[in-house]
Amino acid sequence: QVQLQESGPGLVTPSGTLSLICVVSGGSISNNNWWNWVRQPQGKGLEWIGETHHSGSTNYNPSLKTRVTISVDKSKNQFSLNLNSVTAADTAVYYCAKEGGYRLDSWGQGTLVTVSS
Amino acid sequence: EIVLTQSPGTLSLSPGETATLSCRTSQSVSSSDYLAWYQQKPGQAPRLLIYGTSIRATGIPDRFSGSGSGTDFTLTISRLEPEDFAVYYCQQYEKPPRYTFGQGTKLEI
């Protein structure tokens, strides 16, 4: 069973860049899966951010596309999220998740990122 | 972009009863493979319950069932257990690759 663990700064200043890493254990990131980021503002619903494949291919939510970069590091079995020009609206719990055929079947525990000065 | 609307927003039931949760999509979902349901408890990540509209994920009890087609989908939870009280989200996949979630239904005692 694949396990995922997010890590990164819990506080980001407005207009800065949010950077998170998701470490994959119990399986190879080079398997034929897509690796995703999803976020959830406090008390609200889920928003898909985007996904990457070990080949380097990516797909992004059109609403965030101009600010998001997701990349994979096969040597470390991890993938990362960068979201630039952040505002308070980007404050949320950020989850990484594994795609398992049109659904997200394994999730990290989530990490809270607050955008504040 | 397909919009998913879940109803009701909150459902109040008692253990032993049956919960019926609805998910309506703004456009017809092109494949039954593309519709999934998740359960989320406070402070926890979502957990996959149902995929492919009606297939239970590994370890999910048969009290949980999914059905539907086109624009109307349903999650039914029979014989509610105390641990079933949570928030439930439907999710659809569309091409170009994109996942969209409903706003959630809170199932409360």
Side-chain angles (χ1 to χ4, degrees):
Chain A
Q1 178 78 351
V2 170
Q3 295 186 325
L4 300 95
Q5 178 67 57
E6 308 89 348
S7 63
L11 181 65
V12 182
T13 55
S15 77
T17 298
L18 180 160
S19 297
L20 296 174
I21 289 172
C22 179
V23 176
V24 178
S25 59
S28 173
I29 204 166
S30 295
N31 287 345
N32 194 29
N33 297 109
W34 289 79
W35 304 93
N36 291 255
W37 289 98
V38 177
R39 70 180 183 180
Q40 184 174 39
Q42 183 82 3
K44 297 188 178 181
L46 301 163
E47 180 182 32
W48 180 72
I49 299 170
E51 63 181 2
T52 188
H53 187 264
H54 69 81
S55 64
S57 297
T58 54
N59 296 297
Y60 299 129
N61 187 325
S63 68
L64 297 169
K65 187 173 185 176
T66 59
R67 299 195 291 131
V68 172
T69 302
I70 297 175
S71 59
V72 64
D73 185 336
K74 290 184 286 186
S75 67
K76 295 182 179 179
N77 219 43
Q78 65 186 38
F79 61 107
S80 63
L81 167 69
N82 282 300
L83 179 67
N84 59 36
S85 304
V86 297
T87 69
D90 295 309
T91 294
V93 174
Y94 285 75
Y95 296 99
C96 57
K98 179 181 79 67
E99 166 269 340
Y102 314 120
R103 72 266 188 184
L104 304 176
D105 60 4
S106 297
W107 295 66
Q109 66 184 25
T111 187
L112 174 63
V113 179
T114 301
V115 179
S116 176
S117 55
Chain B
E1 175 190 355
I2 296 179
V3 176
L4 279 65
T5 302
Q6 293 186 240
S7 61
T10 301
L11 184 58
S12 299
L13 293 171
S14 299
E17 293 189 301
T18 296
T20 302
L21 286 66
S22 173
C23 177
R24 181 162 291 177
T25 62
S26 60
Q27 300 174 37
S28 182
V29 178
S30 58
S31 169
S32 61
D33 292 340
Y34 294 172
L35 200 288
W37 291 90
Y38 300 83
Q39 176 193 68
Q40 187 178 35
K41 297 180 180 179
Q44 296 184 16
R47 177 176 71 147
L48 178 67
L49 291 177
I50 299 285
Y51 65 93
T53 298
S54 61
I55 304 170
R56 283 186 299 277
T58 303
I60 303 302
D62 60 8
R63 300 184 292 102
F64 292 85
S65 63
S67 63
S69 64
T71 60
D72 289 296
F73 297 86
T74 301
L75 174 69
T76 302
I77 313 170
S78 305
R79 307 181 302 279
L80 283 168
E81 298 280 349
E83 62 267 27
D84 298 335
F85 292 91
V87 179
Y88 292 84
Y89 294 94
C90 57
Q91 167 250 300
Q92 67 88 31
Y93 169 91
E94 61 181 311
K95 296 182 180 181
R98 179 173 184 170
Y99 295 86
T100 307
F101 296 90
Q103 83 279 17
T105 290
K106 182 179 182 180
L107 177 58
E108 64 177 23
I109 298 177

Coordinates of all heavy atoms in Angstrom, one line a residue, chain A residues 34 36 38 40 44-48 51 59-63 95 99-110, chain B residues 33-36 38 40 43-48 50-52 89 91-93 95-103:
Chain A
W34 N -0.6 8.8 -12.0 CA -0.4 10.2 -11.9 C -0.5 10.7 -10.4 O -1.2 10.1 -9.6 CB -1.6 10.9 -12.7 CG -1.4 10.7 -14.2 CD1 -1.7 9.6 -14.9 CD2 -0.9 11.7 -15.1 NE1 -1.4 9.9 -16.2 CE2 -0.9 11.1 -16.4 CE3 -0.4 13.0 -15.0 CZ2 -0.5 11.8 -17.5 CZ3 0.0 13.7 -16.1 CH2 0.0 13.1 -17.4
N36 N -1.0 13.7 -7.7 CA -1.8 14.8 -7.6 C -1.7 15.7 -6.4 O -1.2 15.2 -5.4 CB -3.3 14.4 -7.7 CG -3.7 13.8 -9.0 OD1 -4.4 14.4 -9.8 ND2 -3.3 12.6 -9.3
V38 N -4.2 18.3 -4.1 CA -5.6 18.8 -3.9 C -5.5 19.7 -2.7 O -4.8 19.4 -1.7 CB -6.6 17.6 -3.6 CG1 -8.0 18.1 -3.3 CG2 -6.6 16.7 -4.8
Q40 N -7.8 22.2 0.4 CA -9.1 22.4 1.0 C -9.0 23.5 2.0 O -8.4 23.4 3.1 CB -9.5 21.1 1.8 CG -10.8 21.1 2.4 CD -11.2 19.8 3.0 OE1 -10.4 19.0 3.5 NE2 -12.5 19.4 2.9
K44 N -14.2 24.2 4.1 CA -14.8 24.2 2.7 C -14.5 22.9 2.0 O -14.0 22.0 2.6 CB -14.2 25.4 1.9 CG -14.6 26.8 2.6 CD -14.2 27.9 1.7 CE -14.6 29.3 2.3 NZ -14.2 30.4 1.4
G45 N -14.8 22.9 0.7 CA -14.7 21.7 -0.1 C -13.3 21.5 -0.7 O -12.4 22.3 -0.4
L46 N -13.2 20.5 -1.5 CA -11.9 20.1 -2.1 C -11.8 20.7 -3.5 O -12.7 20.8 -4.3 CB -11.9 18.5 -2.3 CG -12.1 17.8 -1.0 CD1 -12.5 16.3 -1.2 CD2 -10.8 17.8 -0.1
E47 N -10.5 21.1 -3.8 CA -10.2 21.7 -5.1 C -9.0 21.0 -5.6 O -7.9 21.0 -5.0 CB -9.9 23.2 -4.9 CG -9.6 23.9 -6.3 CD -9.3 25.3 -6.2 OE1 -8.7 25.8 -5.1 OE2 -9.6 26.1 -7.2
W48 N -9.1 20.4 -6.8 CA -8.0 19.8 -7.5 C -7.1 20.8 -8.0 O -7.5 21.8 -8.7 CB -8.5 18.9 -8.6 CG -7.5 18.2 -9.4 CD1 -6.7 17.1 -8.9 CD2 -7.1 18.4 -10.7 NE1 -5.9 16.7 -9.9 CE2 -6.1 17.5 -11.0 CE3 -7.4 19.3 -11.7 CZ2 -5.5 17.4 -12.3 CZ3 -6.9 19.3 -12.9 CH2 -5.9 18.4 -13.2
E51 N -1.7 17.6 -11.5 CA -1.0 16.3 -11.4 C 0.2 16.2 -12.3 O 0.4 17.0 -13.2 CB -2.0 15.2 -11.8 CG -2.5 15.3 -13.3 CD -3.5 14.3 -13.7 OE1 -3.9 13.4 -12.9 OE2 -3.9 14.3 -14.9
N59 N -0.7 18.1 -15.8 CA -2.0 18.7 -16.1 C -2.4 19.6 -14.9 O -2.2 19.2 -13.8 CB -3.1 17.6 -16.3 CG -2.8 16.8 -17.5 OD1 -2.8 17.2 -18.6 ND2 -2.6 15.5 -17.2
Y60 N -3.0 20.7 -15.2 CA -3.3 21.7 -14.1 C -4.8 22.1 -14.2 O -5.4 22.1 -15.3 CB -2.4 22.9 -14.2 CG -0.9 22.7 -14.1 CD1 0.0 23.2 -15.0 CD2 -0.4 21.9 -13.0 CE1 1.3 22.9 -14.9 CE2 0.9 21.7 -12.9 CZ 1.8 22.2 -13.8 OH 3.2 22.0 -13.7
N61 N -5.3 22.5 -13.0 CA -6.6 23.1 -13.0 C -6.5 24.5 -13.7 O -5.6 25.3 -13.4 CB -7.0 23.4 -11.5 CG -8.4 23.9 -11.4 OD1 -8.9 24.6 -12.2 ND2 -9.1 23.4 -10.3
P62 N -7.4 24.7 -14.7 CA -7.3 26.0 -15.5 C -7.3 27.2 -14.6 O -6.7 28.2 -14.9 CB -8.5 25.9 -16.4 CG -8.7 24.4 -16.6 CD -8.4 23.8 -15.3
S63 N -8.0 27.1 -13.4 CA -8.1 28.3 -12.6 C -6.8 28.6 -11.9 O -6.7 29.8 -11.3 CB -9.2 28.1 -11.5 OG -8.8 27.1 -10.6
Y95 N -3.2 18.6 0.2 CA -3.0 17.1 0.2 C -2.3 16.7 -1.1 O -2.6 17.2 -2.2 CB -4.4 16.4 0.2 CG -5.2 16.6 1.4 CD1 -6.3 17.5 1.4 CD2 -5.0 15.8 2.6 CE1 -7.1 17.7 2.5 CE2 -5.8 16.0 3.7 CZ -6.9 16.9 3.7 OH -7.6 17.1 4.8
E99 N -3.3 8.9 -8.1 CA -4.4 8.6 -9.0 C -4.4 7.1 -9.2 O -3.3 6.4 -9.4 CB -4.2 9.3 -10.4 CG -5.1 8.8 -11.5 CD -4.4 7.7 -12.3 OE1 -3.2 7.6 -12.3 OE2 -5.1 6.9 -13.0
G100 N -5.6 6.5 -9.2 CA -5.7 5.0 -9.4 C -6.7 4.7 -10.5 O -7.5 3.7 -10.3
G101 N -6.8 5.5 -11.5 CA -7.8 5.2 -12.6 C -9.0 6.1 -12.4 O -10.0 5.6 -11.9
Y102 N -8.9 7.3 -12.8 CA -10.0 8.3 -12.7 C -10.5 8.6 -11.3 O -11.5 9.1 -11.1 CB -11.2 7.8 -13.5 CG -10.8 7.3 -14.9 CD1 -11.1 6.1 -15.3 CD2 -10.1 8.2 -15.8 CE1 -10.7 5.6 -16.6 CE2 -9.7 7.7 -17.1 CZ -10.1 6.4 -17.4 OH -9.7 6.0 -18.7
R103 N -9.7 8.1 -10.3 CA -10.0 8.5 -8.9 C -8.7 8.6 -8.1 O -7.7 8.1 -8.6 CB -10.9 7.4 -8.3 CG -10.3 6.1 -7.9 CD -10.4 5.1 -9.0 NE -9.9 3.7 -8.6 CZ -9.9 2.7 -9.4 NH1 -10.3 2.8 -10.7 NH2 -9.4 1.5 -9.0
L104 N -8.8 9.2 -6.9 CA -7.6 9.4 -6.1 C -7.7 8.4 -4.9 O -8.5 8.5 -4.0 CB -7.6 10.8 -5.6 CG -7.6 11.8 -6.7 CD1 -7.7 13.3 -6.2 CD2 -6.4 11.7 -7.6
D105 N -6.9 7.3 -5.0 CA -7.1 6.2 -4.1 C -6.2 6.1 -2.9 O -6.3 5.3 -2.0 CB -7.1 4.9 -4.9 CG -5.7 4.6 -5.6 OD1 -4.8 5.5 -5.4 OD2 -5.6 3.6 -6.3
S106 N -5.2 7.0 -2.9 CA -4.3 7.1 -1.7 C -4.0 8.6 -1.5 O -3.7 9.3 -2.4 CB -3.0 6.3 -1.9 OG -3.2 5.0 -2.1
W107 N -4.1 9.0 -0.2 CA -3.9 10.4 0.1 C -2.9 10.5 1.3 O -2.8 9.7 2.1 CB -5.2 11.0 0.6 CG -6.3 11.0 -0.4 CD1 -7.0 10.0 -1.0 CD2 -6.9 12.2 -0.9 NE1 -7.9 10.4 -1.8 CE2 -8.0 11.8 -1.8 CE3 -6.8 13.6 -0.7 CZ2 -8.8 12.7 -2.5 CZ3 -7.6 14.5 -1.4 CH2 -8.6 14.0 -2.3
G108 N -2.2 11.6 1.2 CA -1.4 12.0 2.4 C -2.3 12.5 3.5 O -3.5 12.7 3.3
Q109 N -1.7 12.8 4.6 CA -2.5 13.3 5.8 C -2.8 14.8 5.7 O -3.7 15.2 6.4 CB -1.7 13.0 7.1 CG -0.4 13.9 7.2 CD 0.3 13.5 8.4 OE1 0.2 12.4 9.0 NE2 1.2 14.5 8.9
G110 N -2.2 15.5 4.8 CA -2.4 16.9 4.6 C -1.5 17.8 5.4 O -1.1 17.4 6.5
Chain B
D33 N -17.1 5.1 -15.4 CA -15.7 5.0 -14.7 C -15.4 6.3 -14.0 O -14.5 6.3 -13.2 CB -14.7 4.7 -15.7 CG -14.8 3.3 -16.3 OD1 -15.5 2.4 -15.7 OD2 -14.2 3.0 -17.4
Y34 N -16.0 7.4 -14.4 CA -15.5 8.7 -14.0 C -16.1 9.3 -12.8 O -15.8 10.4 -12.4 CB -15.7 9.7 -15.2 CG -14.9 9.4 -16.4 CD1 -15.2 10.2 -17.6 CD2 -13.9 8.5 -16.5 CE1 -14.5 10.0 -18.8 CE2 -13.2 8.2 -17.7 CZ -13.5 9.0 -18.8 OH -12.8 8.8 -20.0
L35 N -16.9 8.5 -12.1 CA -17.6 9.1 -10.9 C -17.2 8.3 -9.6 O -17.2 7.1 -9.6 CB -19.1 9.0 -11.1 CG -20.1 9.8 -10.2 CD1 -20.1 9.4 -8.8 CD2 -19.7 11.3 -10.3
A36 N -16.8 9.1 -8.6 CA -16.3 8.5 -7.4 C -16.9 9.2 -6.2 O -17.4 10.3 -6.3 CB -14.8 8.5 -7.3
Y38 N -16.1 9.9 -1.8 CA -15.1 10.0 -0.7 C -15.8 10.3 0.6 O -16.8 11.0 0.6 CB -14.0 11.0 -1.0 CG -13.3 10.8 -2.3 CD1 -13.8 11.3 -3.5 CD2 -12.0 10.2 -2.3 CE1 -13.1 11.1 -4.6 CE2 -11.3 10.0 -3.4 CZ -11.9 10.5 -4.6 OH -11.2 10.3 -5.8
Q40 N -14.9 11.9 4.4 CA -13.9 12.7 5.1 C -14.4 12.9 6.6 O -15.5 13.5 6.8 CB -13.6 14.0 4.5 CG -12.4 14.7 5.1 CD -12.0 16.0 4.4 OE1 -12.9 16.8 3.9 NE2 -10.8 16.4 4.4
G43 N -10.4 16.5 10.5 CA -9.0 16.4 10.7 C -8.3 15.3 10.0 O -7.1 15.0 10.1
Q44 N -9.0 14.6 9.1 CA -8.5 13.5 8.3 C -8.5 13.8 6.8 O -9.3 14.7 6.4 CB -9.2 12.2 8.6 CG -9.1 11.7 10.0 CD -9.8 10.4 10.2 OE1 -10.1 9.7 9.2 NE2 -10.0 10.0 11.4
A45 N -7.7 13.1 6.0 CA -7.8 13.2 4.6 C -9.0 12.5 4.1 O -9.6 11.6 4.8 CB -6.5 12.6 4.0
P46 N -9.5 12.8 2.9 CA -10.6 12.1 2.3 C -10.2 10.6 2.1 O -9.0 10.3 1.9 CB -10.8 12.8 1.0 CG -10.3 14.2 1.2 CD -9.1 14.0 2.1
R47 N -11.2 9.7 2.1 CA -10.9 8.3 1.9 C -11.8 7.9 0.8 O -13.0 8.1 0.8 CB -11.2 7.5 3.2 CG -11.0 6.0 3.0 CD -11.2 5.2 4.2 NE -12.6 5.2 4.7 CZ -13.1 4.1 5.4 NH1 -12.4 3.0 5.5 NH2 -14.4 4.2 5.8
L48 N -11.2 7.2 -0.2 CA -12.0 6.7 -1.3 C -13.0 5.6 -0.9 O -12.6 4.6 -0.2 CB -11.1 6.1 -2.4 CG -11.7 5.5 -3.6 CD1 -12.5 6.6 -4.5 CD2 -10.7 4.8 -4.5
I50 N -16.1 4.7 -3.1 CA -16.7 4.2 -4.3 C -16.0 4.8 -5.5 O -15.8 6.0 -5.6 CB -18.2 4.5 -4.4 CG1 -19.0 4.0 -3.2 CG2 -18.8 4.0 -5.7 CD1 -19.2 2.5 -3.2
Y51 N -15.7 3.9 -6.5 CA -15.2 4.4 -7.8 C -16.0 3.7 -8.9 O -16.7 2.7 -8.7 CB -13.7 4.2 -7.9 CG -13.3 2.8 -7.9 CD1 -13.1 2.1 -9.1 CD2 -13.0 2.1 -6.7 CE1 -12.6 0.8 -9.1 CE2 -12.6 0.8 -6.7 CZ -12.4 0.1 -7.9 OH -12.0 -1.2 -7.9
G52 N -15.8 4.2 -10.1 CA -16.6 3.6 -11.2 C -18.1 3.6 -11.0 O -18.8 2.6 -11.3
Y89 N -18.1 13.4 -0.3 CA -17.9 14.2 -1.5 C -18.0 13.3 -2.7 O -17.5 12.2 -2.7 CB -16.5 14.8 -1.6 CG -16.3 15.9 -0.5 CD1 -15.7 15.6 0.7 CD2 -16.6 17.2 -0.8 CE1 -15.4 16.6 1.6 CE2 -16.4 18.2 0.2 CZ -15.8 17.9 1.4 OH -15.6 18.9 2.3
Q91 N -17.0 13.0 -6.8 CA -15.9 13.5 -7.7 C -16.1 13.0 -9.1 O -16.5 11.8 -9.2 CB -14.6 13.1 -7.1 CG -13.4 13.3 -8.0 CD -12.8 12.0 -8.6 OE1 -12.4 11.1 -7.8 NE2 -12.8 11.8 -9.9
Q92 N -15.9 13.8 -10.0 CA -15.9 13.3 -11.4 C -14.7 13.7 -12.1 O -14.0 14.6 -11.8 CB -17.2 13.8 -12.2 CG -17.2 15.3 -12.4 CD -16.5 15.7 -13.7 OE1 -16.5 14.9 -14.7 NE2 -15.8 16.9 -13.8
Y93 N -14.3 12.8 -13.1 CA -13.1 13.1 -13.9 C -13.6 13.4 -15.3 O -14.6 12.9 -15.8 CB -12.3 11.8 -13.9 CG -11.2 11.8 -15.0 CD1 -9.9 12.2 -14.6 CD2 -11.4 11.3 -16.3 CE1 -8.9 12.2 -15.6 CE2 -10.4 11.3 -17.2 CZ -9.2 11.7 -16.8 OH -8.1 11.7 -17.8
K95 N -12.1 14.9 -19.4 CA -10.9 15.2 -20.2 C -11.1 16.6 -20.8 O -12.2 17.0 -21.2 CB -10.9 14.1 -21.3 CG -10.6 12.7 -20.8 CD -10.5 11.7 -21.9 CE -10.2 10.3 -21.3 NZ -10.1 9.3 -22.4
P96 N -10.0 17.4 -20.9 CA -8.6 17.0 -20.6 C -8.5 16.8 -19.1 O -9.4 17.2 -18.4 CB -7.8 18.3 -21.0 CG -8.8 19.4 -21.0 CD -10.1 18.8 -21.4
P97 N -7.5 16.0 -18.7 CA -7.5 15.5 -17.3 C -7.8 16.6 -16.3 O -7.2 17.6 -16.2 CB -6.1 15.0 -17.1 CG -5.7 14.6 -18.5 CD -6.3 15.6 -19.4
R98 N -8.9 16.4 -15.5 CA -9.3 17.3 -14.5 C -10.3 16.6 -13.6 O -11.1 15.8 -14.0 CB -10.1 18.4 -15.2 CG -10.6 19.5 -14.2 CD -11.1 20.7 -15.0 NE -11.6 21.7 -14.1 CZ -11.9 22.9 -14.5 NH1 -11.8 23.3 -15.8 NH2 -12.3 23.8 -13.6
Y99 N -10.1 16.8 -12.3 CA -11.0 16.3 -11.3 C -11.8 17.5 -10.7 O -11.3 18.5 -10.4 CB -10.2 15.6 -10.2 CG -9.4 14.4 -10.6 CD1 -8.2 14.5 -11.1 CD2 -10.0 13.1 -10.5 CE1 -7.4 13.4 -11.5 CE2 -9.3 12.0 -10.9 CZ -8.0 12.2 -11.4 OH -7.3 11.1 -11.8
T100 N -13.1 17.2 -10.5 CA -14.0 18.2 -9.9 C -14.8 17.5 -8.8 O -15.2 16.4 -9.0 CB -15.0 18.8 -10.9 OG1 -14.2 19.3 -12.1 CG2 -15.8 19.9 -10.3
F101 N -14.9 18.2 -7.7 CA -15.6 17.7 -6.5 C -16.9 18.4 -6.3 O -17.0 19.6 -6.6 CB -14.7 17.8 -5.3 CG -13.5 17.0 -5.3 CD1 -12.3 17.6 -5.8 CD2 -13.4 15.7 -4.8 CE1 -11.1 16.9 -5.9 CE2 -12.2 15.0 -4.9 CZ -11.1 15.6 -5.4
G102 N -17.9 17.7 -5.7 CA -19.1 18.4 -5.2 C -18.7 19.2 -3.9 O -17.6 19.0 -3.4
Q103 N -19.7 19.9 -3.4 CA -19.4 20.8 -2.3 C -19.5 20.0 -1.0 O -19.2 20.5 0.1 CB -20.4 22.0 -2.3 CG -21.7 21.7 -1.7 CD -22.7 21.0 -2.6 OE1 -22.3 20.5 -3.7 NE2 -24.0 21.1 -2.3

